[in-house]
């Protein structure tokens, strides 16, 4: 399987009973957002211009509605922004050291070379950042390279997928009005099965550029359920639920980190969100694929971090105590010596 196509979540075996492999909010799905989906007008097309939704998202972020760009998902947005950058003259892509596979996948499709972030991320090209980062959950280190608006021929995109799930105080960041921001609330709402996202353009983006990006999308790029989820995202009730869920996630995360220590897994430091990376014991790493398969057969799915450039490690989304107990029992029962 190509690196860019590796994802957590549902697979050929179905929905995992205990899914540690994604970073969704394990307190969800958000009840208020679910109610909004149930009330969605599924018999009709949404407004193709998404006028009311863009106004609601703009008010939520305190920006001009003209800066809001609807997207089918983060992945769709990544590919669309990449295509736009290519046809506008971009000749390279810079990435974080560890990153989501769709960034390089989109670059390969358009034959854009991937270069080291520093010093290239301060110059022309398409440049990706993610805060908190994935898979490590760290704060970004790109800000010294992005102190001011991007120069001509540069597109700087901050993936904000996990910003709403930040469990520790975030470092002070510069004014985000000068970068593209990509938001995917389905993770924070615990409903990743609903595909919808949006981007906020930098203040220097021209009306012509925004129109060109909208023209690259198919008609009704977000369906009725996606519209309902994004509308719900902007409401005080849903935001209150999210804040309450962060309190629960902090408690579950502390328990899960302690569990990993008891299992002999080394938790990599610095994580700030509802996920972290743990390195397996050395004697298990050579049989990692077999061990993951044994756990998956028992309904437990972990994300192998090899595709992120972290061999011998797994990324774990924070899960409730019942799932943590299932993981502990399955690991204790697994005969590692018999793994082929």
């Amino acid at each position: 399987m190509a690196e860019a196509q590796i994802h957590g979540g549902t697979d050929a075996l179905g929905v995992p009973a205990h899914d540690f492999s994604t970073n969704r909010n394990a307190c969800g799905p958000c009840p208020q957002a679910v109610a909004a989906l149930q009330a969605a007008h599924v018999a009709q097309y949404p407004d193709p211009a998404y006028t009311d939704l863009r106004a609601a998202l703009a008010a939520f972020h305190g920006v001009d509605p003209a800066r809001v760009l609807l997207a089918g998902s983060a992945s769709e947005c990544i590919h669309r922004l990449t295509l736009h950058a290519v046809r506008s003259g971009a000749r390279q892509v810079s990435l974080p050291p560890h990153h989501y596979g769709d960034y390089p996948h989109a670059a390969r499709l358009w034959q854009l070379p991937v270069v080291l972030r520093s010093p290239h991320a301060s110059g022309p090209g398409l440049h990706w950042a993610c805060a908190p980062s994935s898979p490590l959950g760290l704060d970004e280190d790109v800000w010294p390279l992005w102190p001011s608006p991007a120069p001509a021929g540069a597109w700087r995109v901050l993936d904000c997928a996990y910003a709403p799930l930040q469990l520790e105080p975030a470092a002070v960041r510069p004014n985000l009005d000068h970068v593209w921001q990509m938001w995917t609330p389905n993770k924070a709402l615990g409903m990743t099965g609903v595909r919808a996202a949006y981007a906020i353009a930098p203040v220097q983006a021209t009306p012509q550029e925004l129109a060109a990006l909208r023209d690259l999308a198919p008609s009704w790029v977000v369906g009725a359920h996606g519209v309902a989820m994004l509308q719900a995202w902007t409401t005080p009730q849903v935001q209150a639920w999210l804040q309450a869920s962060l309190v629960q996630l902090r408690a579950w995360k502390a328990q899960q980190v302690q569990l990993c220590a008891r299992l002999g897994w080394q938790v990599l430091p610095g994580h700030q969100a509802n996920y972290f990376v743990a390195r397996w014991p050395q004697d298990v790493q050579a049989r990692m694929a077999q061990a993951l398969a044994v756990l998956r057969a028992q309904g437990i799915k972990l994300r192998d971090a090899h595709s992120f450039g972290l061999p011998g490690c797994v990324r774990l989304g924070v899960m409730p105590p019942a799932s943590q107990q299932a993981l502990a029992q399955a690991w204790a029962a697994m005969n590692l010596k018999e793994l082929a």
Side-chain angles (χ1 to χ4, degrees), residues 114-313:
V114 175
V115 299
L116 294 176
R117 167 175 283 178
S118 181
H120 297 285
S122 59
L126 174 61
H127 310 294
W128 293 99
C130 184
S133 66
S134 179
L136 294 173
L138 303 175
D139 197 34
E140 261 292 355
D141 62 359
V142 76
W143 304 123
L145 300 172
W146 293 359
S148 57
W155 293 264
R156 297 170 176 172
V157 190
L158 179 66
D159 188 340
C160 301
Y162 308 113
L165 292 165
Q166 181 109 18
L167 302 182
E168 306 295 335
V172 176
R173 295 167 186 161
N175 189 342
L176 296 183
D177 277 339
H178 296 308
V179 303
W180 287 88
Q181 304 168 51
M182 187 172 67
W183 293 87
T184 49
N186 58 354
K187 295 180 178 66
L189 299 178
M191 47 201 317
T192 53
V194 181
R195 310 300 291 160
Y198 60 97
I200 300 175
V203 291
Q204 65 266 26
T206 65
Q208 293 78 14
E209 181 173 30
L210 292 169
L213 274 161
R214 292 192 177 101
D215 287 344
L216 284 175
S219 299
W220 301 289
V221 66
V222 177
H225 289 105
V227 169
M229 180 187 70
L230 293 179
Q231 284 278 13
W233 170 245
T234 67
T235 65
Q237 296 86 349
V238 167
Q239 290 300 312
W241 175 88
L242 173 60
Q243 293 308 308
S245 76
L246 299 184
V247 176
Q248 181 66 81
L249 289 171
R250 288 188 189 97
W252 288 350
K253 181 178 180 180
Q255 296 172 18
Q256 191 164 308
V257 169
Q258 293 173 3
L259 168 63
C260 288
R262 293 197 301 271
L263 298 179
W265 303 3
Q266 178 193 1
V267 175
L268 275 58
H271 45 84
Q272 300 175 0
N274 67 319
Y275 53 91
F276 56 88
V277 172
R279 179 172 287 111
W280 276 9
Q282 188 69 37
D283 62 337
V284 187
Q285 292 182 22
R287 295 164 289 174
M288 194 165 188
Q290 298 94 322
L292 288 169
V294 170
L295 292 172
R296 181 65 186 91
Q298 298 180 66
I300 297 167
K301 185 168 184 180
L302 306 175
R303 175 68 186 270
D304 186 345
H306 187 276
S307 63
F308 292 113
L310 295 167
C313 298

